[in-house]
Amino acid sequence: MSANQRPVLVLQPSVNTTTVTTTTTTTTSYAPIQLPPLPPPSSPKDPKNYPLLHANLPQSLRHFPLVFPNGSRAIFRDGEGGEEDMQEEQEVASGIGWRMLKRDEGNQETNVVGLTEAVERYGKKRSHNSDNMMEGIELSSDPNITIPPPRKKARATPLPQISTVNAAAPPSPLPSPHGSPSPETIWPSAPPSGASSPLPQAPLQPDLALTTLLTLPSLLAHFTTLPAPLQSHFLLTLLRHSPLPVLRTLHSVLTPTLARDFLTLLPPELVSHILSYLPFSTLARASRVSRSWRAIIDSDPVLWRDLLKSTKIWFGGESENSFANSIYARRRHVQRSPSFVPNPLPLPHPYKMLFKSRHLTRTRWVNNPDPKHVSFPAHGSSVVTCLIFSHGRIISASDDHSIHVYSPITGELMRSLQGHEGGVWALAACKDTLVSGSTDRTVRIWDLSTGKCTHVFGGHTSTVRCLSIVKPEIIDVERDGVITKEKWPKRPLIVTGSRDHSLRVWTLPRPGEAEFRCFGPDETEVDLAEVCDADENPYHRLHLEGHDHAVRALAARGRTLVSGSYDCTVRIWDTISGACKWVLVGHTQKVYSVVLDLGRNQACSGSMDGTVRVWNLQTGQCQHTLTGHTSLVGLLGLSPSYLVSAAADSTLRIWDPDSGELRHTLAAHTGAITCFQHDEFKVLSGSDGNLKMWNIRDGTVVRDLLTGITGVWQVVFEGRWCVAASNRNDTTVLDVWDFGNDDDEDWLGEPPGGLYDEDIFTDDEEDDVDIKIKGVTSMEDEDEEQEQADIDAMDQDLVPSESESVVENEFIDQDGQQIRRRLGDGDVEIPDVSSTADYDADAMGRPDGVEASRWAPAATVITITSPSSRPFNFQQGRLGKTSAAAASSRRPQFGAAGPSSSSSSSAAARTLPPTNDETPTRPRIRTQPPRRR
């Protein structure tokens, strides 16, 4: 009860019935009686000493009925407005065919009479000669007693004004031993019984209940002056004489008020230590006790970190920090939204969200016997070459030149991206930006929100076979022997690898930046290489040359790029300077797959020679050679704790990336592994018409997701979703599984590699080089001084010395080679590719998608090699225009197997192939175009 409210007593309306020749019923409503307010505590300076002062009392103590001796009823209300409650207590009289109207239903207005006025009215009609009414006791209704009627009505004596402030307070807080005080000063005596006509009923007959309410302030004032021991004795005496319902009511008030929340009172360190002993199921229930408990439990990073470790789902490395940073970036983005509404509940720490997501990933995929499954056709009967799952979208690419975007929930085709003139063999996505590479030698950038192709990059002279988006991240950089943490790259990059033996580095355009297309607006059939040098593209950064054969695989993070080639070498590049840091020689056949492990400062490569090699990026040495596969190792995957290799020998092998030790061999397939993906809990692999799920920790088969189909081309999963592309009866089909329940909306998946893109484009990002995005026409008006500085820098290393030799290089196409292995009683030829979806167009007997004559003017290519060891002087502000041919003139450091023959002028002279037809594995021969200056 607030200080400005006073308790009130609401009287039941009195009903008087007078019978003459008709019956008249008069209902009188009484205004609430304002009871005296209670005095405040004597010393409320410390609210802790009076915990019940502002406690919420139960309804039974704030609103209860009272019945007085004369039958009058009232309702005590501890606050304002009790009249409505009295009306609610009244029952509506009704019978067959009739019902009494409520007061607010009739047209007659009922006057509310105050208690004083009602007493006056009663006193005017009472009899003066009836003084035998005892105080607080009604007259006996003995019919033998006859009271004569009064001879004359006397004028009623005016009554004094009623005051409820200590109106009938006794001299002490305790009840008087002589009974209640005489009410005659307030209430006139009752009329005699047996009168000829009934008199109106008195409003109420006072008793101990009313006396107690009126004297409660005085009683409380006396109680507060008593010493504490006596107060306790007095209260205990009352409690001893209280029945069980009263004690239960008091217990319901005292228990929550006197309880102490130890989680909010103890220091955070002790709270975290105490909660660490609870299992996560108990923590989940405890977080629902109150808002304060939820805030304490959800926001404790140490608690959830220890819980992640104790349940063996803490992976280490940068996976946990990357997840946390992505959550913070997502929240910043939401808070900047104009429609942002603050959450009244505190946001949980990312580690808590990570624990729930990983716990669901570990349990739902195994324990959900019937996940939701959707199957729908896609791309007709064409091969699905690429499949990714990004931000709730399924993105698939095919050799039919198209890219499709599907909804994982319904399987609906949301977008169909058309534009490539050849098969699409490389895809990468980040947020609403999609990058694709094709056999038409172009790199296209799409806006997934609109389906529009915003940029077309030309420059490669053969199929763009692999690409990657390099997202900014904090990495360790060594400068003068001191390791510091820096953000590289400063803005996102695109790295592409091609059959033309080279790689290119591009700046990923931000949404809304100037569009660039490497051909005219009419998009007529032109030779992209002839009409547009990549140096004219303002987004082009570097051209990395050095490989002697097609670049088959690449991986990039920070400022480190790893490329694997059919020339049997692996190269390590710096994507900012363009320098080739290492040429890793050791494989005896083509390299088909590479992965990059910056946390361990190493890279891994898989080759057709059946081995997996682990390279040290700091020294260029081969740390481990992982043997066991008997055929082409076409696929590699890396997670914080596991390195997984898949080969054409129908097996997958799980390795320890630190020691190179073989942990498990997954041998249940009967054909070459065409696709796989893994995380810290499971491996999904596709082969020979089966899609299997394995437990990565013990190497056992968990379940078969697909069986009895023609072949599985691609498989991806993230969080609760799994998507597979397969062939059934010459029809391409996409299968989607949802392993979550309806209440698993906050199940967040972790992308492969642990790379998130929530904060990929930041407002405060600064470029590592000064690149000005201009139109093609404005490139002609470049600053002359900057142009001359660039020419001088390039001429410094491009002018051949007397010791340099100019030779013709021979490109020996070995893509037609095949590996033959024994399977059963017949010979099965397995192409030298990593998967069915990766079959090259010429190996499958399909045309390249673009006429060879269109791309192939007869010419010879002249390669100028320089043995000079002078470092290239990269000019800031012009690095985006620089060909890395100059960078490759810096002599690279070679790996443990010795120097690469491709970088020396003593390499054997080779002749050009006689044919000029281009396939995905044979580059077109073109004349080195003159550079525009």
Side-chain angles (χ1 to χ4, degrees), residues 771-831:
I771 298 180
K772 297 181 180 180
I773 306 302
K774 304 179 181 179
V776 177
T777 56
S778 65
M779 297 297 295
E780 302 292 339
D781 302 327
E782 290 181 323
D783 184 80
E784 294 182 359
E785 295 181 359
Q786 190 177 17
E787 180 74 19
Q788 187 60 42
D790 183 40
I791 295 175
D792 294 342
M794 295 184 63
D795 291 344
Q796 180 178 0
D797 286 329
L798 289 181
V799 177
S801 63
E802 296 179 357
S803 61
E804 292 174 346
S805 60
V806 179
V807 296
E808 291 183 347
N809 289 341
E810 174 190 10
F811 297 141
I812 301 176
D813 185 10
Q814 298 177 352
D815 292 342
Q817 295 182 356
Q818 294 180 331
I819 302 173
R820 182 177 299 273
R821 67 180 176 89
R822 181 70 59 182
L823 177 62
D825 296 332
D827 291 336
V828 178
E829 292 184 352
I830 300 176

Side-chain angles (χ1 to χ4, degrees), residues 468-507:
S468 176
I469 296 177
V470 188
K471 304 167 186 177
E473 60 179 311
I474 304 299
I475 61 173
D476 293 333
V477 178
E478 183 177 358
R479 299 183 184 278
D480 299 330
V482 179
I483 297 179
T484 59
K485 291 188 176 297
E486 299 179 5
K487 181 180 179 180
W488 290 103
K490 300 301 183 182
R491 60 175 298 179
L493 303 177
I494 305 171
V495 180
T496 56
S498 172
R499 307 284 187 185
D500 64 5
H501 310 175
S502 69
L503 301 99
R504 290 183 181 270
V505 182
W506 324 74
T507 298

